[in-house]
Amino acid sequence: MISSSRIQLASLIRGSSITTKHIRNTHLSTMATARKIQITPDNTGLWHQKQTEAAAKKTTELLQDDLEKHHCFFNMEGYHNHISHHLLSLYGLGASPEHIQQGYNDNANYQRTPFKTHSDIQEELKDFATAKDKYGKEEYYTDFLVFFQNEIDKKGWKEVLLEYMFKGDEQSENMLVRMFAGFLHPIIQLMYGIEWQQPAIIAMGLAQAAVHPDKVRRFIDASERAASQTTSSSSPMPEIATLFDEVAADAKVGTAARWSDENKVHDGVLGRAFDDLVRIAGKVRVKPEELDARTAEMYNTITYYTTGAALRKGKEPRYDFFLIHHVNVCPIFIAINAQEWIPTAAKVRLLEWKIRFDLLQYAARGCAPAFLDDITSYVPKEKTQKSTTDLLPRVHAWHDDGHAPKLIRAVGVCQQVCAPYEASGEKWLKLRGDDVWTKVNQLIVDAVEGDGPKWVRSAGHEGAWTEIPDRQV
């Protein structure tokens, strides 16, 4: 069944009426191709940190190495290769060539080499009818990578994204759903390609999505149908934070995920409270004229609830490993909103999906409460408040797989995106003011540099905190 959103999207595929007011991605690495990475010193991503020619050269070299030598999964269980995210996050944070090289060295040695391409498969992939049975299978990653590189060579990366993500037909719907699989890793990969305008990384993102499963389709489709059954005029979309609170307060949704669940998304929330969550997720209906403001609201709200979940009474702070992905992916919505060639309907729909997925993931992680007073009253381990600029050299030096630098960068971009709305006094902003943003960054640093595990998994459950040290006040 084709939803009304898909019909509207297909009718608008050739045009868009909204541009992003506050951040525009204007840099273009003109030498970059579908097979060649080219990072330049003037393009450091949305946070606009200064960089050097040496750092740009080093990042280009290592990203090219990753493109040519590594699979998108580093093991047979489907754990993701984060190298391109990691390196571009470090680069976007102003890291030196030495620290960028360190980031690569820390993670290259356990990557898998890509599968060889299958013979005569490229013709099959051109026709979705014959390509269907190749989707969701990791052994075809290299084949899909080559296919999308060839498509970009012929059509350009913008036309390829319009065709394979935003067209509204069966093929693009298939790809768009898979972008949200694997804890958002495919769309995170795509994010760095769009933000840095690197066709090769865009091809990697599309290929990665192609080999992910589409188990989330049922939730996406049901939520979209629920939203279409109520007009926005009769029932306006609530503030996003109230939807988080509704999820937590709901007798079925708020308790659906159990500590014993192997998969708290599918076995827990979608297994025990599918209809109840869909009812709440169906309230997400973004008006086109609200796109920029709702994007900022989404970004601020998920950052707030993720930070709140990191503070458990009596314990050292730790961010939830799954929730941080919902913060780390947020810059793509800023980058996409800035692309005038993407239809407004596509931007709105993508944002709606993201908000609904935030609600799903929040429920899956046990609905850890967030209290602004806990964030603002947090006393850093060093007892003094340091600026984000002072903290960045420590972030550059971390031995990490990329999650932590991505989080710091995403929070920095969030502050930048929210600044105009702070100035206009928007009440839906949960996090506001330089002191609060600095406190959030200090929380991240303290959590990552603490003893024991860097992250908790499912912060709303007491069992997630057993290995985290008690907080010494």
Side-chain angles (χ1 to χ4, degrees):
M1 179 178 179
I2 299 179
S3 69
S4 59
S5 296
R6 286 176 61 182
I7 294 171
Q8 180 189 23
L9 179 56
S11 69
L12 294 176
I13 189 64
R14 292 300 175 188
S16 176
S17 60
I18 284 183
T19 60
T20 296
K21 301 180 181 68
H22 309 303
I23 296 180
R24 299 185 61 81
N25 191 2
T26 57
H27 296 294
L28 177 64
S29 298
T30 55
M31 295 176 63
T33 72
R35 291 171 175 76
K36 179 182 178 183
I37 306 288
Q38 183 64 54
I39 305 299
T40 58
D42 62 332
N43 184 3
T44 60
L46 290 170
W47 206 4
H48 306 301
Q49 296 289 315
K50 291 183 179 180
Q51 262 301 357
T52 65
E53 185 69 49
K57 183 178 180 181
K58 175 59 67 176
T59 304
T60 298
E61 168 197 330
L62 298 176
L63 288 173
Q64 189 71 35
D65 207 52
D66 181 52
L67 168 67
E68 296 173 358
K69 295 182 179 179
H70 301 144
H71 194 279
C72 66
F73 302 134
F74 69 75
N75 63 20
M76 297 298 290
E77 287 72 45
Y79 287 32
H80 297 87
N81 171 4
H82 299 96
I83 285 178
S84 51
H85 319 169
H86 191 186
L87 299 186
L88 283 170
S89 290
L90 287 171
Y91 182 75
L93 292 171
S96 68
E98 292 75 21
H99 282 132
I100 293 168
Q101 181 71 62
Q102 173 188 285
Y104 184 81
N105 293 345
D106 285 345
N107 296 284
N109 62 344
Y110 59 82
Q111 302 299 328
R112 294 162 66 202
T113 56
F115 291 97
K116 293 182 179 179
T117 56
H118 295 79
S119 60
D120 302 325
I121 198 175
Q122 291 301 313
E123 286 302 313
E124 289 185 44
L125 296 182
K126 291 178 181 179
D127 184 347
F128 185 61
T130 58
K132 282 182 180 180
D133 65 345
K134 307 298 187 298
Y135 281 86
K137 299 175 181 178
E138 66 150 346
E139 61 266 31
Y140 294 106
Y141 170 74
T142 310
D143 299 296
F144 277 112
L145 178 60
V146 171
F147 173 74
F148 287 116
Q149 287 175 324
N150 291 340
E151 288 289 277
I152 290 171
D153 284 344
K154 289 185 291 185
K155 305 171 184 177
W157 63 271
K158 296 178 182 180
E159 285 297 324
V160 167
L161 289 182
L162 286 174
E163 180 175 349
Y164 288 95
M165 279 188 64
F166 302 125
K167 191 174 182 178
D169 61 4
E170 183 184 7
Q171 179 174 250
S172 63
E173 291 292 291
N174 170 69
M175 181 64 72
L176 198 59
V177 167
R178 295 174 194 273
M179 279 286 170
F180 281 76
F183 299 106
L184 305 177
H185 279 93
I187 199 170
I188 291 174
Q189 182 75 34
L190 182 71
M191 175 180 79
Y192 287 93
I194 293 176
E195 187 176 343
W196 266 268
Q197 300 197 26
Q198 296 295 311
I201 297 178
I202 290 169
M204 293 168 76
L206 290 167
Q208 186 177 136
V211 300
H212 273 76
D214 62 352
K215 290 174 64 176
V216 295
R217 181 186 299 275
R218 179 169 168 253
F219 170 68
I220 289 172
D221 289 347
S223 300
E224 201 157 63
R225 284 194 300 270
S228 69
Q229 291 167 3
T230 306
T231 62
S232 58
S233 58
S234 63
S235 181
M237 178 178 165
E239 286 188 10
I240 298 171
T242 67
L243 297 176
F244 275 78
D245 294 341
E246 185 174 352
V247 164
D250 188 276
K252 290 188 69 175
V253 181
T255 60
R258 300 169 184 169
W259 179 243
S260 58
D261 288 333
E262 183 175 352
N263 188 316
K264 293 175 176 57
V265 170
H266 294 284
D267 300 335
V269 182
L270 299 183
R272 300 189 185 98
F274 184 90
D275 292 339
D276 301 87
L277 179 61
V278 166
R279 172 179 49 79
I280 299 171
K283 297 178 182 181
V284 176
R285 296 179 303 276
V286 175
K287 296 178 181 179
E289 62 269 24
E290 297 177 332
L291 176 64
D292 286 341
R294 286 293 191 179
T295 300
E297 183 186 0
M298 173 278 294
Y299 204 158
N300 191 283
T301 302
I302 189 59
T303 303
Y304 169 70
Y305 279 91
T306 301
T307 299
L311 292 166
R312 188 174 184 89
K313 187 175 181 180
K315 290 291 186 177
E316 291 291 321
R318 289 295 186 276
Y319 276 76
D320 186 293
F321 180 78
F322 299 107
L323 289 178
I324 63 167
H325 290 79
H326 288 246
V327 178
N328 291 350
V329 73
C330 286
I332 194 174
F333 298 90
I334 310 305
I336 281 179
N337 286 358
Q339 309 301 320
E340 297 183 11
W341 49 271
I342 297 178
T344 300
K347 297 172 184 178
V348 167
R349 191 177 186 219
L350 201 67
L351 176 61
E352 290 175 339
W353 285 22
K354 169 56 164 61
I355 297 168
R356 293 168 188 150
F357 263 76
D358 288 348
L359 299 174
L360 169 59
Q361 195 63 255
Y362 181 62
R365 300 310 138 200
C367 301
F371 301 106
L372 185 59
D373 286 348
D374 289 350
I375 298 172
T376 58
S377 63
Y378 176 75
V379 178
K381 289 181 180 179
E382 296 173 283
K383 308 297 182 185
T384 57
Q385 184 159 302
K386 291 192 172 183
S387 70
T388 301
T389 301
D390 291 334
L391 293 172
L392 284 180
R394 290 161 63 177
V395 176
H396 299 163
W398 284 341
H399 290 280
D400 187 79
D401 64 357
H403 288 98
K406 280 190 284 188
L407 183 57
I408 286 283
R409 191 184 83 94
V411 169
V413 174
C414 187
Q415 180 180 3
Q416 191 176 41
V417 168
C418 293
Y421 299 102
E422 286 190 33
S424 62
E426 296 295 343
K427 293 182 179 179
W428 43 258
L429 286 173
K430 295 296 183 181
L431 298 172
R432 64 174 70 231
D434 289 345
D435 287 348
V436 171
W437 289 109
T438 299
K439 193 67 67 74
V440 172
N441 283 315
Q442 289 180 305
L443 265 167
I444 298 170
V445 170
D446 283 355
V448 172
E449 293 181 348
D451 295 330
K454 284 184 180 181
W455 317 102
V456 293
R457 287 166 170 78
S458 302
H461 294 278
E462 185 177 357
W465 295 85
T466 55
E467 297 182 23
I468 306 303
D470 293 340
R471 181 158 172 75
Q472 306 299 319
V473 181

